[in-house]
């Protein structure tokens, strides 16, 4: 197949190369996976990054390790992913893109997490340890198929600990796991709607005029067409990569602001929800790296009459999903209302720019709930009211929230 394009060409294994405007490339199929073409488009404000295709590099990238050896990409959260909060004993996420990784070669694929060795890294370079005692230990907690390398290669999600075996202050997973151990009999399920905004490398929304703004909001939500949907190739690529990795992705859609998208992870039970959101964010950052696009989790990337970006968290327990569950839902919502500001304190940095009472949000200082009302703090679906059981949606979390903190906080408040 011959394709004319301007932009990077890649497949699930990674970047293949970059063409110049008007140039036609022959795109072949290797291992059943066609290379994808990301058009850069005219009239789009682009970053200054470029890709240089070096002779022979592409062929080397297609080689597989000999024998049973595999690559294991160890992933962990940096210091800004969970920073101390003056308003809560839980840390708050300052930067949801502060996800680090490095590659370890394993002599054989693991059969379980127990087969994965611990590792370490320089915590002084991630804001998590002083230079004079910089070693941080990585404890593997879950692994997934690697959509970038394919084959038997894996992504390994890790917790962070001191050499003495104490979780780092930024290790919110360890504390969340204890809460979910206490609530496991209630089988808490979460479905998280992760919104994000595609930006150029000079931090301007993809597809927006270089000088000025696009047409007002209205046609972009779930829209189709060159002037409505921008970045669909990236959103689709991310969805494919998440499914390949084994994540419980349940859908994607274009959002209200142009260049804003959403994907949904869940339902997942307990700690697994936070695990899968962080891995999905890592995958998103890697795809953005390949495409030369910044995938921002800022809760209000563009000031003015534009929607912000949230991380709506859908939640239920086993009693809520059973007959008579609507009363259990209302009791849980009442408990959340009593601790409204306590939750707001850890629902993401900069959330006050988003929760204004406009653009499908409730004011940050006021708690409210309603059926089918997207202007409330908590929304109950119309079908839930009809069925008398189901789940509810906490609409307060920002797009940059820490899913370990938010899910554990909701379970703690409603169940313990």
């Amino acid at each position: 197949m011959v394709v004319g394009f301007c932009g990077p060409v890649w497949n699930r294994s990674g970047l293949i190369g970059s063409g110049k405007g008007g140039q036609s490339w022959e795109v072949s199929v290797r291992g059943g996976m066609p290379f994808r073409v990301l058009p850069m488009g005219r009239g789009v404000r682009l970053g200054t990054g470029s890709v240089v295709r070096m002779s022979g590099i592409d062929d080397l990238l297609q080689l597989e390790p000999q024998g049973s050896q595999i690559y294991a990409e160890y992933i962990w959260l940096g210091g800004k992913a969970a920073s101390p909060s003056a308003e809560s004993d839980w840390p708050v996420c300052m930067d949801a893109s502060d996800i680090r990784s490095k590659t370890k070669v394993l002599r054989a694929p693991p059969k379980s997490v127990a087969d994965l060795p611990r590792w370490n890294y320089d915590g002084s370079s991630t804001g998590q340890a002083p230079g004079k005692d910089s070693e941080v230990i990585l404890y593997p907690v879950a692994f997934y198929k690697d959509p970038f390398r394919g084959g038997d290669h894996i992504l390994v999600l890790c917790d962070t600990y001191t050499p003495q075996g104490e979780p780092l202050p930024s290790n919110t997973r360890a504390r969340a796991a204890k809460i979910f151990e206490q609530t496991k009999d209630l089988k808490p399920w979460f479905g998280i709607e992760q919104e994000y905004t595609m930006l150029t490398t000079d931090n301007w929304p993809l597809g927006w005029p270089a000088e000025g703004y696009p047409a007002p909001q209205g046609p972009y939500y779930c829209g189709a067409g060159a002037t409505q949907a921008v970045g669909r190739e990236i959103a689709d690529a991310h969805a494919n990569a998440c499914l390949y990795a084994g994540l419980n992705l349940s859908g994607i859609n274009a959002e209200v602001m142009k260049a804003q998208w959403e994907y949904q992870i869940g339902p997942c039970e307990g700690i697994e929800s936070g695990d899968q959101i962080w891995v999905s964010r890592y995958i998103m950052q890697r795809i953005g790296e390949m495409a030369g696009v910044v995938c921002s989790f800022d809760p209000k990337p563009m000031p003015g009459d534009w929607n912000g970006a949230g991380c709506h968290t859908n939640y239920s327990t086993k009693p809520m999903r059973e007959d008579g569950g609507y009363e259990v839902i209302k009791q849980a919502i009442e408990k959340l209302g009593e601790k409204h500001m306590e939750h707001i304190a850890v629902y993401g940095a900069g959330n006050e720019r988003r929760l204004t009472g406009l653009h499908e949000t409730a004011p940050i200082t006021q708690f409210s709930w309603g059926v089918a009302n997207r202007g409330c703090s908590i929304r109950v679906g119309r079908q839930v009211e009809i069925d008398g059981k189901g789940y509810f949606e906490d609409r307060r979390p920002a797009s940059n929230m820490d899913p370990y903190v938010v899910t554990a906080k909701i379970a703690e408040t409603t169940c313990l």
Side-chain angles (χ1 to χ4, degrees):
M1 176 172 64
V2 177
V3 181
F5 72 101
C6 177
V9 181
W10 56 281
N11 67 3
R12 286 180 179 171
S13 299
L15 187 64
I16 302 302
S18 178
K20 298 179 180 179
Q23 181 178 353
S24 293
W25 276 31
E26 185 172 341
V27 182
S28 61
V29 177
R30 299 179 185 173
M33 295 187 296
F35 298 163
R36 299 298 303 273
V37 176
L38 297 186
M40 303 300 277
R42 294 183 180 180
V44 176
R45 188 177 183 184
L46 302 175
T48 57
S50 61
V51 178
V52 178
R53 186 175 188 271
M54 300 176 65
S55 177
I57 291 293
D58 296 344
D59 292 333
L60 292 175
L61 288 172
Q62 301 303 314
L63 297 178
E64 285 290 328
Q66 295 297 298
S68 59
Q69 297 181 113
I70 66 163
Y71 291 118
E73 193 71 21
Y74 276 50
I75 303 167
W76 70 94
L77 308 183
K80 290 184 180 180
S83 300
S85 170
E87 301 173 337
S88 174
D89 59 344
W90 282 94
V92 64
C93 184
M94 303 298 293
D95 184 359
S97 63
D98 190 8
I99 311 172
R100 313 296 178 107
S101 75
K102 62 177 183 175
T103 307
K104 190 175 188 66
V105 175
L106 302 179
R107 301 310 170 198
K111 295 180 180 179
S112 70
V113 172
D115 295 331
L116 293 166
R118 294 176 182 176
W119 208 7
N120 65 76
Y121 68 94
D122 172 16
S124 68
S125 296
T126 61
Q128 294 169 296
K132 61 182 180 181
D133 187 15
S134 64
E135 193 166 288
V136 176
I137 311 302
L138 293 170
Y139 286 30
V141 295
F143 67 93
Y144 309 86
K145 294 180 67 175
D146 186 339
F148 303 103
R149 292 187 172 111
D152 291 329
H153 310 298
I154 56 175
L155 304 177
V156 181
L157 181 65
C158 299
D159 260 356
T160 51
Y161 286 79
T162 68
Q164 292 74 38
E166 294 295 323
L168 293 192
S170 58
N171 182 351
T172 55
R173 188 186 190 279
R175 181 174 171 184
K178 292 180 180 179
I179 290 173
F180 286 123
E181 179 62 27
Q182 296 176 66
T183 60
K184 64 181 180 181
D185 291 342
L186 294 173
K187 297 190 178 300
W189 288 0
F190 298 91
I192 296 180
E193 306 169 27
Q194 176 69 70
E195 294 180 341
Y196 62 98
T197 308
M198 298 184 195
L199 307 175
T200 65
T201 52
D202 51 358
N203 290 318
W204 193 250
L206 203 67
W208 285 34
E211 303 294 337
Y213 300 90
Q217 296 182 155
Y220 310 121
Y221 173 70
C222 296
T227 59
Q228 282 79 34
V230 175
R232 188 183 298 276
E233 299 94 339
I234 294 172
D236 283 349
H238 178 258
N240 284 344
C242 285
L243 290 175
Y244 180 89
L247 302 186
N248 195 14
L249 182 90
S250 53
I252 65 172
N253 61 271
E255 266 300 337
V256 178
M257 189 181 82
K258 190 173 187 177
Q260 185 185 73
W261 286 77
E262 172 187 300
Y263 63 90
Q264 302 94 36
I265 295 288
C268 297
E269 186 171 326
I271 199 70
E272 185 183 10
S273 179
D275 288 348
Q276 293 204 19
I277 282 290
W278 277 117
V279 172
S280 72
R281 286 173 173 176
Y282 173 78
I283 291 172
M284 176 60 74
Q285 294 301 304
R286 286 285 302 274
I287 291 175
E289 173 188 326
M290 294 157 64
V293 170
V294 176
C295 295
S296 170
F297 300 114
D298 188 284
K300 185 73 173 180
M302 297 301 292
D305 193 17
W306 305 99
N307 272 38
C311 216
H312 302 155
T313 301
N314 299 277
Y315 168 67
S316 70
T317 59
K318 188 172 184 290
M320 294 179 194
R321 298 187 293 269
E322 296 175 340
D323 290 343
Y326 194 22
E327 289 304 313
V328 183
I329 288 173
K330 288 190 284 188
Q331 292 168 13
I333 292 174
E334 184 178 346
K335 292 177 181 179
L336 288 172
E338 293 170 355
K339 295 188 175 183
H340 174 61
M341 293 309 296
E342 190 176 309
H343 280 250
I344 288 294
V346 293
Y347 271 20
N351 209 10
E352 71 282 352
R353 293 183 283 120
R354 169 180 162 263
L355 297 182
T356 62
L358 302 173
H359 305 112
E360 300 178 287
T361 69
I364 194 168
T365 58
Q366 300 175 20
F367 181 83
S368 59
W369 77 277
V371 176
N373 188 342
R374 283 178 163 78
C376 288
S377 307
I378 304 290
R379 180 184 68 87
V380 174
R382 183 69 68 190
Q383 195 62 44
V384 172
E385 182 186 45
I386 295 171
D387 294 342
K389 59 184 176 181
Y391 68 97
F392 64 85
E393 175 192 47
D394 191 339
R395 297 180 58 81
R396 297 171 294 172
S399 53
N400 61 355
M401 63 85 153
D402 181 341
Y404 293 137
V405 175
V406 169
T407 57
K409 189 71 177 170
I410 292 173
E412 182 180 49
T413 296
T414 61
C415 299
L416 299 179

